[in-house]
Amino acid sequence: MTDFVPEPLELTQETPAPHIVRICLHGDLDHTTAQEFLEAVTAALTGPGAPRELRIGCAGLRLCDSSGLSALLVARRRAGEAGALLLLDDRGPALERLLDMTGTLAHLTGESAPRHDDHLDDRV
């Protein structure tokens, strides 16, 4: 059996356009890295020229546990309090599934979850 080796979280921040801040995640967003992520979010939202959009780049996100999900929910709340829109860009299948299974997809993304009853037919 292969041991699971946690991957440290690396955060990079960029400003692709005026009033837009993008924080890219690389590695694991979990109980050991959630606070680091939230500190970066808070700094981005309270720094000079506060953004109207806070984009979280998830393409490099390898793992998101319940603490990571909680951090994303706190980030959304903090963004809303700062008058900014939070967007989760480049969500992979694992994150998409986590958001769907926990009922947080619409709350975090504004998108509705896919229907799970597509396999049912209309027979009476």
Side-chain angles (χ1 to χ4, degrees):
M1 182 174 195
T2 305
D3 290 330
F4 179 78
V5 179
E7 188 174 315
L9 183 66
E10 293 180 30
L11 303 167
T12 56
Q13 184 174 316
E14 56 191 36
T15 306
H19 303 290
I20 297 175
V21 171
R22 181 175 165 95
I23 299 174
C24 296
L25 309 177
H26 302 278
D28 298 345
L29 182 56
D30 61 14
H31 67 283
T32 62
T33 60
Q35 188 59 41
E36 176 186 359
F37 167 70
L38 287 174
E39 288 169 4
V41 165
T42 300
L45 291 169
T46 59
R52 288 187 216 129
E53 277 185 18
L54 177 60
R55 303 185 79 93
I56 307 298
C58 301
L61 185 62
R62 188 180 78 133
L63 171 125
C64 183
D65 72 3
S66 60
S67 296
L69 176 60
S70 177
L72 290 172
L73 291 166
V74 170
R76 184 195 180 278
R77 186 181 76 229
R78 289 183 184 171
E81 289 169 353
L85 178 65
L86 177 77
L87 299 165
L88 301 180
D89 295 337
D90 305 316
R91 300 183 308 268
L95 180 58
E96 196 76 17
R97 184 166 187 253
L98 174 67
L99 299 179
D100 181 28
M101 289 179 60
T102 58
T104 58
L105 181 68
H107 183 70
L108 281 170
T109 68
E111 300 171 14
S112 59
R115 291 184 46 183
H116 294 289
D117 60 352
D118 289 337
H119 66 282
L120 302 175
D121 60 27
D122 294 326
R123 287 187 269 170
V124 182

PDB file of all heavy atoms in Angstrom, residues 90-118:
ATOM      1  N   ASP A  90     -10.953  27.168 -12.572  1.00  0.00           N
ATOM      2  CA  ASP A  90     -10.251  25.936 -12.928  1.00  0.00           C
ATOM      3  C   ASP A  90     -10.416  24.842 -11.879  1.00  0.00           C
ATOM      4  O   ASP A  90      -9.447  24.196 -11.473  1.00  0.00           O
ATOM      5  CB  ASP A  90      -8.758  26.213 -13.167  1.00  0.00           C
ATOM      6  CG  ASP A  90      -8.528  27.300 -14.199  1.00  0.00           C
ATOM      7  OD1 ASP A  90      -9.212  27.280 -15.233  1.00  0.00           O
ATOM      8  OD2 ASP A  90      -7.679  28.176 -13.962  1.00  0.00           O
ATOM      9  N   ARG A  91     -11.670  24.615 -11.470  1.00  0.00           N
ATOM     10  CA  ARG A  91     -11.943  23.569 -10.491  1.00  0.00           C
ATOM     11  C   ARG A  91     -11.783  22.204 -11.138  1.00  0.00           C
ATOM     12  O   ARG A  91     -12.372  21.926 -12.178  1.00  0.00           O
ATOM     13  CB  ARG A  91     -13.366  23.698  -9.935  1.00  0.00           C
ATOM     14  CG  ARG A  91     -13.623  25.015  -9.237  1.00  0.00           C
ATOM     15  CD  ARG A  91     -15.022  25.077  -8.645  1.00  0.00           C
ATOM     16  NE  ARG A  91     -16.099  24.765  -9.561  1.00  0.00           N
ATOM     17  CZ  ARG A  91     -16.749  25.666 -10.287  1.00  0.00           C
ATOM     18  NH1 ARG A  91     -16.409  26.942 -10.232  1.00  0.00           N
ATOM     19  NH2 ARG A  91     -17.734  25.309 -11.075  1.00  0.00           N
ATOM     20  N   GLY A  92     -11.023  21.343 -10.497  1.00  0.00           N
ATOM     21  CA  GLY A  92     -10.864  19.974 -10.977  1.00  0.00           C
ATOM     22  C   GLY A  92     -12.031  19.104 -10.539  1.00  0.00           C
ATOM     23  O   GLY A  92     -12.871  19.523  -9.741  1.00  0.00           O
ATOM     24  N   PRO A  93     -12.079  17.875 -11.039  1.00  0.00           N
ATOM     25  CA  PRO A  93     -13.193  16.977 -10.725  1.00  0.00           C
ATOM     26  C   PRO A  93     -13.338  16.683  -9.227  1.00  0.00           C
ATOM     27  O   PRO A  93     -14.454  16.582  -8.728  1.00  0.00           O
ATOM     28  CB  PRO A  93     -12.868  15.699 -11.490  1.00  0.00           C
ATOM     29  CG  PRO A  93     -11.838  16.066 -12.492  1.00  0.00           C
ATOM     30  CD  PRO A  93     -11.155  17.296 -12.006  1.00  0.00           C
ATOM     31  N   ALA A  94     -12.242  16.539  -8.513  1.00  0.00           N
ATOM     32  CA  ALA A  94     -12.330  16.224  -7.079  1.00  0.00           C
ATOM     33  C   ALA A  94     -12.943  17.383  -6.306  1.00  0.00           C
ATOM     34  O   ALA A  94     -13.812  17.172  -5.445  1.00  0.00           O
ATOM     35  CB  ALA A  94     -10.952  15.875  -6.521  1.00  0.00           C
ATOM     36  N   LEU A  95     -12.541  18.604  -6.603  1.00  0.00           N
ATOM     37  CA  LEU A  95     -13.110  19.766  -5.915  1.00  0.00           C
ATOM     38  C   LEU A  95     -14.566  19.941  -6.316  1.00  0.00           C
ATOM     39  O   LEU A  95     -15.424  20.221  -5.472  1.00  0.00           O
ATOM     40  CB  LEU A  95     -12.306  21.035  -6.222  1.00  0.00           C
ATOM     41  CG  LEU A  95     -12.817  22.317  -5.562  1.00  0.00           C
ATOM     42  CD1 LEU A  95     -12.863  22.179  -4.039  1.00  0.00           C
ATOM     43  CD2 LEU A  95     -11.959  23.503  -5.967  1.00  0.00           C
ATOM     44  N   GLU A  96     -14.857  19.757  -7.573  1.00  0.00           N
ATOM     45  CA  GLU A  96     -16.237  19.874  -8.055  1.00  0.00           C
ATOM     46  C   GLU A  96     -17.134  18.871  -7.322  1.00  0.00           C
ATOM     47  O   GLU A  96     -18.234  19.205  -6.878  1.00  0.00           O
ATOM     48  CB  GLU A  96     -16.277  19.626  -9.572  1.00  0.00           C
ATOM     49  CG  GLU A  96     -17.529  20.064 -10.234  1.00  0.00           C
ATOM     50  CD  GLU A  96     -17.619  21.570 -10.420  1.00  0.00           C
ATOM     51  OE1 GLU A  96     -16.614  22.283 -10.333  1.00  0.00           O
ATOM     52  OE2 GLU A  96     -18.743  22.028 -10.659  1.00  0.00           O
ATOM     53  N   ARG A  97     -16.654  17.660  -7.173  1.00  0.00           N
ATOM     54  CA  ARG A  97     -17.421  16.617  -6.483  1.00  0.00           C
ATOM     55  C   ARG A  97     -17.604  16.974  -5.008  1.00  0.00           C
ATOM     56  O   ARG A  97     -18.689  16.802  -4.446  1.00  0.00           O
ATOM     57  CB  ARG A  97     -16.723  15.269  -6.621  1.00  0.00           C
ATOM     58  CG  ARG A  97     -17.507  14.141  -6.009  1.00  0.00           C
ATOM     59  CD  ARG A  97     -16.955  12.791  -6.460  1.00  0.00           C
ATOM     60  NE  ARG A  97     -17.827  11.740  -6.000  1.00  0.00           N
ATOM     61  CZ  ARG A  97     -17.530  10.908  -5.003  1.00  0.00           C
ATOM     62  NH1 ARG A  97     -16.360  10.990  -4.402  1.00  0.00           N
ATOM     63  NH2 ARG A  97     -18.373   9.980  -4.630  1.00  0.00           N
ATOM     64  N   LEU A  98     -16.564  17.457  -4.352  1.00  0.00           N
ATOM     65  CA  LEU A  98     -16.653  17.852  -2.950  1.00  0.00           C
ATOM     66  C   LEU A  98     -17.707  18.944  -2.766  1.00  0.00           C
ATOM     67  O   LEU A  98     -18.546  18.870  -1.870  1.00  0.00           O
ATOM     68  CB  LEU A  98     -15.292  18.338  -2.442  1.00  0.00           C
ATOM     69  CG  LEU A  98     -15.270  18.918  -1.025  1.00  0.00           C
ATOM     70  CD1 LEU A  98     -15.573  17.828   0.007  1.00  0.00           C
ATOM     71  CD2 LEU A  98     -13.932  19.579  -0.750  1.00  0.00           C
ATOM     72  N   LEU A  99     -17.677  19.945  -3.622  1.00  0.00           N
ATOM     73  CA  LEU A  99     -18.642  21.042  -3.529  1.00  0.00           C
ATOM     74  C   LEU A  99     -20.063  20.542  -3.773  1.00  0.00           C
ATOM     75  O   LEU A  99     -21.004  20.959  -3.092  1.00  0.00           O
ATOM     76  CB  LEU A  99     -18.285  22.160  -4.509  1.00  0.00           C
ATOM     77  CG  LEU A  99     -16.930  22.836  -4.312  1.00  0.00           C
ATOM     78  CD1 LEU A  99     -16.718  23.902  -5.377  1.00  0.00           C
ATOM     79  CD2 LEU A  99     -16.779  23.410  -2.928  1.00  0.00           C
ATOM     80  N   ASP A 100     -20.212  19.638  -4.721  1.00  0.00           N
ATOM     81  CA  ASP A 100     -21.529  19.076  -5.032  1.00  0.00           C
ATOM     82  C   ASP A 100     -22.026  18.231  -3.857  1.00  0.00           C
ATOM     83  O   ASP A 100     -23.154  18.400  -3.387  1.00  0.00           O
ATOM     84  CB  ASP A 100     -21.446  18.245  -6.311  1.00  0.00           C
ATOM     85  CG  ASP A 100     -22.773  17.648  -6.719  1.00  0.00           C
ATOM     86  OD1 ASP A 100     -23.832  18.231  -6.401  1.00  0.00           O
ATOM     87  OD2 ASP A 100     -22.767  16.581  -7.356  1.00  0.00           O
ATOM     88  N   MET A 101     -21.201  17.343  -3.351  1.00  0.00           N
ATOM     89  CA  MET A 101     -21.611  16.431  -2.279  1.00  0.00           C
ATOM     90  C   MET A 101     -21.937  17.160  -0.976  1.00  0.00           C
ATOM     91  O   MET A 101     -22.783  16.706  -0.206  1.00  0.00           O
ATOM     92  CB  MET A 101     -20.518  15.395  -2.023  1.00  0.00           C
ATOM     93  CG  MET A 101     -20.381  14.378  -3.130  1.00  0.00           C
ATOM     94  SD  MET A 101     -19.051  13.193  -2.816  1.00  0.00           S
ATOM     95  CE  MET A 101     -19.606  12.460  -1.292  1.00  0.00           C
ATOM     96  N   THR A 102     -21.276  18.270  -0.730  1.00  0.00           N
ATOM     97  CA  THR A 102     -21.499  19.008   0.514  1.00  0.00           C
ATOM     98  C   THR A 102     -22.571  20.081   0.379  1.00  0.00           C
ATOM     99  O   THR A 102     -22.883  20.769   1.347  1.00  0.00           O
ATOM    100  CB  THR A 102     -20.193  19.660   1.009  1.00  0.00           C
ATOM    101  OG1 THR A 102     -19.691  20.539  -0.011  1.00  0.00           O
ATOM    102  CG2 THR A 102     -19.145  18.605   1.346  1.00  0.00           C
ATOM    103  N   GLY A 103     -23.124  20.228  -0.808  1.00  0.00           N
ATOM    104  CA  GLY A 103     -24.173  21.220  -1.015  1.00  0.00           C
ATOM    105  C   GLY A 103     -23.655  22.649  -1.024  1.00  0.00           C
ATOM    106  O   GLY A 103     -24.428  23.589  -0.838  1.00  0.00           O
ATOM    107  N   THR A 104     -22.365  22.836  -1.261  1.00  0.00           N
ATOM    108  CA  THR A 104     -21.777  24.176  -1.241  1.00  0.00           C
ATOM    109  C   THR A 104     -21.470  24.715  -2.633  1.00  0.00           C
ATOM    110  O   THR A 104     -21.003  25.846  -2.754  1.00  0.00           O
ATOM    111  CB  THR A 104     -20.484  24.192  -0.395  1.00  0.00           C
ATOM    112  OG1 THR A 104     -19.558  23.243  -0.937  1.00  0.00           O
ATOM    113  CG2 THR A 104     -20.769  23.858   1.059  1.00  0.00           C
ATOM    114  N   LEU A 105     -21.739  23.940  -3.662  1.00  0.00           N
ATOM    115  CA  LEU A 105     -21.418  24.365  -5.025  1.00  0.00           C
ATOM    116  C   LEU A 105     -22.085  25.686  -5.379  1.00  0.00           C
ATOM    117  O   LEU A 105     -21.411  26.641  -5.782  1.00  0.00           O
ATOM    118  CB  LEU A 105     -21.804  23.291  -6.041  1.00  0.00           C
ATOM    119  CG  LEU A 105     -21.493  23.616  -7.498  1.00  0.00           C
ATOM    120  CD1 LEU A 105     -19.989  23.636  -7.729  1.00  0.00           C
ATOM    121  CD2 LEU A 105     -22.139  22.612  -8.429  1.00  0.00           C
ATOM    122  N   ALA A 106     -23.389  25.765  -5.203  1.00  0.00           N
ATOM    123  CA  ALA A 106     -24.108  26.994  -5.562  1.00  0.00           C
ATOM    124  C   ALA A 106     -23.669  28.154  -4.674  1.00  0.00           C
ATOM    125  O   ALA A 106     -23.523  29.282  -5.145  1.00  0.00           O
ATOM    126  CB  ALA A 106     -25.612  26.783  -5.457  1.00  0.00           C
ATOM    127  N   HIS A 107     -23.444  27.880  -3.402  1.00  0.00           N
ATOM    128  CA  HIS A 107     -23.050  28.948  -2.474  1.00  0.00           C
ATOM    129  C   HIS A 107     -21.684  29.527  -2.845  1.00  0.00           C
ATOM    130  O   HIS A 107     -21.493  30.734  -2.816  1.00  0.00           O
ATOM    131  CB  HIS A 107     -23.031  28.401  -1.052  1.00  0.00           C
ATOM    132  CG  HIS A 107     -22.703  29.425  -0.023  1.00  0.00           C
ATOM    133  ND1 HIS A 107     -23.565  30.452   0.303  1.00  0.00           N
ATOM    134  CD2 HIS A 107     -21.610  29.593   0.753  1.00  0.00           C
ATOM    135  CE1 HIS A 107     -23.005  31.199   1.239  1.00  0.00           C
ATOM    136  NE2 HIS A 107     -21.825  30.709   1.528  1.00  0.00           N
ATOM    137  N   LEU A 108     -20.754  28.662  -3.202  1.00  0.00           N
ATOM    138  CA  LEU A 108     -19.401  29.133  -3.509  1.00  0.00           C
ATOM    139  C   LEU A 108     -19.226  29.598  -4.945  1.00  0.00           C
ATOM    140  O   LEU A 108     -18.334  30.389  -5.230  1.00  0.00           O
ATOM    141  CB  LEU A 108     -18.374  28.034  -3.218  1.00  0.00           C
ATOM    142  CG  LEU A 108     -18.009  27.869  -1.755  1.00  0.00           C
ATOM    143  CD1 LEU A 108     -17.189  26.604  -1.546  1.00  0.00           C
ATOM    144  CD2 LEU A 108     -17.241  29.082  -1.246  1.00  0.00           C
ATOM    145  N   THR A 109     -20.054  29.096  -5.857  1.00  0.00           N
ATOM    146  CA  THR A 109     -19.814  29.396  -7.263  1.00  0.00           C
ATOM    147  C   THR A 109     -20.976  30.090  -7.960  1.00  0.00           C
ATOM    148  O   THR A 109     -20.810  30.590  -9.067  1.00  0.00           O
ATOM    149  CB  THR A 109     -19.507  28.103  -8.051  1.00  0.00           C
ATOM    150  OG1 THR A 109     -20.692  27.300  -8.087  1.00  0.00           O
ATOM    151  CG2 THR A 109     -18.362  27.334  -7.444  1.00  0.00           C
ATOM    152  N   GLY A 110     -22.156  30.054  -7.353  1.00  0.00           N
ATOM    153  CA  GLY A 110     -23.330  30.607  -8.017  1.00  0.00           C
ATOM    154  C   GLY A 110     -23.887  29.669  -9.073  1.00  0.00           C
ATOM    155  O   GLY A 110     -24.847  29.984  -9.751  1.00  0.00           O
ATOM    156  N   GLU A 111     -23.303  28.469  -9.201  1.00  0.00           N
ATOM    157  CA  GLU A 111     -23.759  27.488 -10.181  1.00  0.00           C
ATOM    158  C   GLU A 111     -24.597  26.443  -9.471  1.00  0.00           C
ATOM    159  O   GLU A 111     -24.339  26.094  -8.326  1.00  0.00           O
ATOM    160  CB  GLU A 111     -22.559  26.794 -10.834  1.00  0.00           C
ATOM    161  CG  GLU A 111     -21.633  27.737 -11.559  1.00  0.00           C
ATOM    162  CD  GLU A 111     -20.350  27.054 -12.009  1.00  0.00           C
ATOM    163  OE1 GLU A 111     -20.292  25.819 -12.003  1.00  0.00           O
ATOM    164  OE2 GLU A 111     -19.413  27.772 -12.352  1.00  0.00           O
ATOM    165  N   SER A 112     -25.598  25.917 -10.157  1.00  0.00           N
ATOM    166  CA  SER A 112     -26.389  24.854  -9.553  1.00  0.00           C
ATOM    167  C   SER A 112     -25.707  23.516  -9.791  1.00  0.00           C
ATOM    168  O   SER A 112     -24.981  23.333 -10.767  1.00  0.00           O
ATOM    169  CB  SER A 112     -27.806  24.845 -10.112  1.00  0.00           C
ATOM    170  OG  SER A 112     -27.767  24.667 -11.511  1.00  0.00           O
ATOM    171  N   ALA A 113     -25.960  22.594  -8.898  1.00  0.00           N
ATOM    172  CA  ALA A 113     -25.366  21.264  -8.990  1.00  0.00           C
ATOM    173  C   ALA A 113     -26.026  20.486 -10.122  1.00  0.00           C
ATOM    174  O   ALA A 113     -27.194  20.697 -10.433  1.00  0.00           O
ATOM    175  CB  ALA A 113     -25.538  20.525  -7.671  1.00  0.00           C
ATOM    176  N   PRO A 114     -25.294  19.562 -10.740  1.00  0.00           N
ATOM    177  CA  PRO A 114     -25.904  18.725 -11.776  1.00  0.00           C
ATOM    178  C   PRO A 114     -26.976  17.832 -11.154  1.00  0.00           C
ATOM    179  O   PRO A 114     -26.876  17.457  -9.993  1.00  0.00           O
ATOM    180  CB  PRO A 114     -24.734  17.901 -12.314  1.00  0.00           C
ATOM    181  CG  PRO A 114     -23.676  17.974 -11.274  1.00  0.00           C
ATOM    182  CD  PRO A 114     -23.899  19.236 -10.507  1.00  0.00           C
ATOM    183  N   ARG A 115     -27.973  17.506 -11.926  1.00  0.00           N
ATOM    184  CA  ARG A 115     -29.050  16.642 -11.426  1.00  0.00           C
ATOM    185  C   ARG A 115     -28.558  15.210 -11.344  1.00  0.00           C
ATOM    186  O   ARG A 115     -27.913  14.715 -12.244  1.00  0.00           O
ATOM    187  CB  ARG A 115     -30.249  16.731 -12.356  1.00  0.00           C
ATOM    188  CG  ARG A 115     -30.909  18.090 -12.288  1.00  0.00           C
ATOM    189  CD  ARG A 115     -32.123  18.144 -13.131  1.00  0.00           C
ATOM    190  NE  ARG A 115     -32.926  16.944 -12.902  1.00  0.00           N
ATOM    191  CZ  ARG A 115     -34.032  16.671 -13.546  1.00  0.00           C
ATOM    192  NH1 ARG A 115     -34.472  17.486 -14.469  1.00  0.00           N
ATOM    193  NH2 ARG A 115     -34.721  15.575 -13.299  1.00  0.00           N
ATOM    194  N   HIS A 116     -28.914  14.545 -10.255  1.00  0.00           N
ATOM    195  CA  HIS A 116     -28.500  13.152 -10.069  1.00  0.00           C
ATOM    196  C   HIS A 116     -29.579  12.171 -10.486  1.00  0.00           C
ATOM    197  O   HIS A 116     -29.364  10.974 -10.444  1.00  0.00           O
ATOM    198  CB  HIS A 116     -28.140  12.913  -8.597  1.00  0.00           C
ATOM    199  CG  HIS A 116     -26.937  13.682  -8.181  1.00  0.00           C
ATOM    200  ND1 HIS A 116     -25.672  13.369  -8.602  1.00  0.00           N
ATOM    201  CD2 HIS A 116     -26.817  14.782  -7.408  1.00  0.00           C
ATOM    202  CE1 HIS A 116     -24.813  14.226  -8.091  1.00  0.00           C
ATOM    203  NE2 HIS A 116     -25.480  15.096  -7.365  1.00  0.00           N
ATOM    204  N   ASP A 117     -30.732  12.665 -10.909  1.00  0.00           N
ATOM    205  CA  ASP A 117     -31.809  11.762 -11.296  1.00  0.00           C
ATOM    206  C   ASP A 117     -31.932  11.646 -12.815  1.00  0.00           C
ATOM    207  O   ASP A 117     -32.955  11.219 -13.322  1.00  0.00           O
ATOM    208  CB  ASP A 117     -33.141  12.203 -10.680  1.00  0.00           C
ATOM    209  CG  ASP A 117     -33.550  13.597 -11.121  1.00  0.00           C
ATOM    210  OD1 ASP A 117     -32.749  14.280 -11.775  1.00  0.00           O
ATOM    211  OD2 ASP A 117     -34.686  13.991 -10.810  1.00  0.00           O
ATOM    212  N   ASP A 118     -30.868  11.964 -13.536  1.00  0.00           N
ATOM    213  CA  ASP A 118     -30.897  11.895 -14.993  1.00  0.00           C
ATOM    214  C   ASP A 118     -31.149  10.455 -15.480  1.00  0.00           C
ATOM    215  O   ASP A 118     -31.611  10.249 -16.589  1.00  0.00           O
ATOM    216  CB  ASP A 118     -29.607  12.420 -15.605  1.00  0.00           C
ATOM    217  CG  ASP A 118     -29.484  13.919 -15.465  1.00  0.00           C
ATOM    218  OD1 ASP A 118     -30.525  14.590 -15.306  1.00  0.00           O
ATOM    219  OD2 ASP A 118     -28.342  14.428 -15.498  1.00  0.00           O
TER     220      ASP A 118
END
